[in-house]
Amino acid sequence: MSEGINSQFDFFKNVNLDENGNIGVSVIGGVTTEDIHGYYGLLSSFYFGGSATETVIGQDDVNEWVDVELSVDVNGLFDNRPTVMKEAQSIGHDNDGSNGNPVIFKLEGLDIKSFANFRASMSFEPEEDEGQLESRLLFNRHTGTSPSEDFSIEEVSLSMQNGADKDYITEPMLSFFVGDSIDTNGVDDAGKCRFQIKSNVTGIIKLRALTWYINK
């Protein structure tokens, strides 16, 4: 066999399959699925027989980017980040998600080969018809970058044309790669991000969950 074929054979010959034929956790060379990819989920009580966390969008908040509150259920933290992230930071986020203390996700442990998908699960109850809701991730850079200002990725998540005072459900998905201004620069020195929304009408955001899907 050629060297290339031997390498492929060596990779697959020790892969463990479960009873359904799926690749198990253990793979070759000490690399596991936890080393390669994972996710970090923060769920409200909506998924445990309770309610989503509400953020009121008042008149002063219209057309402004607003941090969305999230009260994480006692059973709502799912920390399945890649191993290197867990080794860098035992907890994957800062703050408790209350008013003025938004959830801020830590990117420490990731490098410029890493990328991620982010999903928010929520609904919006507008007080006026024909409103529009935008979503974004706001990123904080690590030290020593130029420029050093925060930056964001954004999308239009809802166009509400079917009346006011009803729930419009949306699950915005935002993808990003870990560039050299938000990768790991040192201990306690890496990029971070948080979720925000902007509405052109007043209403109530009902946040159910935030999830980051990470590829190392």
Side-chain angles (χ1 to χ4, degrees):
M1 291 185 180
S2 71
E3 182 178 351
I5 294 175
N6 274 324
S7 297
Q8 292 181 16
F9 177 74
D10 289 341
F11 178 82
F12 285 108
K13 69 179 180 180
N14 293 320
V15 171
N16 294 329
L17 301 180
D18 64 20
E19 60 185 5
N20 298 314
N22 298 314
I23 295 176
V25 169
S26 297
V27 294
I28 303 309
V31 178
T32 67
T33 53
E34 286 93 341
D35 295 323
I36 301 168
H37 58 76
Y39 68 90
Y40 193 75
L42 300 173
L43 279 60
S44 73
S45 296
F46 176 87
Y47 294 101
F48 303 94
S51 302
T53 306
E54 296 186 352
T55 301
V56 176
I57 306 302
Q59 194 60 52
D60 291 342
D61 302 315
V62 170
N63 292 319
E64 299 287 344
W65 288 108
V66 175
D67 292 321
V68 184
E69 297 176 38
L70 177 63
S71 179
V72 180
D73 188 87
V74 64
N75 297 309
L77 172 60
F78 292 84
D79 186 0
N80 292 290
R81 292 172 296 155
T83 302
V84 67
M85 297 185 76
K86 289 184 176 181
E87 291 174 346
Q89 292 286 342
S90 59
I91 301 297
H93 70 281
D94 290 327
N95 302 331
D96 62 4
S98 60
N99 185 21
N101 295 287
V103 169
I104 300 177
F105 183 64
K106 305 174 184 178
L107 300 176
E108 187 169 346
L110 300 181
D111 57 35
I112 58 173
K113 295 177 287 186
S114 307
F115 59 95
N117 294 310
F118 164 82
R119 184 182 71 179
S121 178
M122 63 183 182
S123 65
F124 185 58
E125 181 182 346
E127 295 180 343
E128 304 173 40
D129 194 10
E130 300 185 351
Q132 179 173 283
L133 183 76
E134 299 174 64
S135 301
R136 78 175 183 180
L137 279 178
L138 181 66
F139 291 86
N140 310 125
R141 306 176 196 258
H142 60 62
T143 62
T145 64
S146 181
S148 60
E149 295 80 12
D150 297 345
F151 69 95
S152 64
I153 53 174
E154 307 169 6
E155 71 162 34
V156 176
S157 301
L158 277 176
S159 292
M160 298 164 284
Q161 308 295 325
N162 295 320
D165 301 318
K166 60 181 293 184
D167 280 339
Y168 290 82
I169 297 173
T170 182
E171 292 196 344
M173 178 78 79
L174 297 165
S175 301
F176 62 94
F177 66 90
V178 179
D180 61 6
S181 68
I182 58 173
D183 65 342
T184 303
N185 192 47
V187 177
D188 293 323
D189 187 15
K192 298 180 180 182
C193 63
R194 69 180 188 265
F195 177 60
Q196 297 182 319
I197 63 93
K198 181 169 68 173
S199 173
N200 64 357
V201 297
T202 57
I204 301 173
I205 288 286
K206 302 172 185 179
L207 185 59
R208 302 174 180 180
L210 301 175
T211 310
W212 285 263
Y213 303 93
I214 308 142
N215 286 270
K216 176 64 176 71

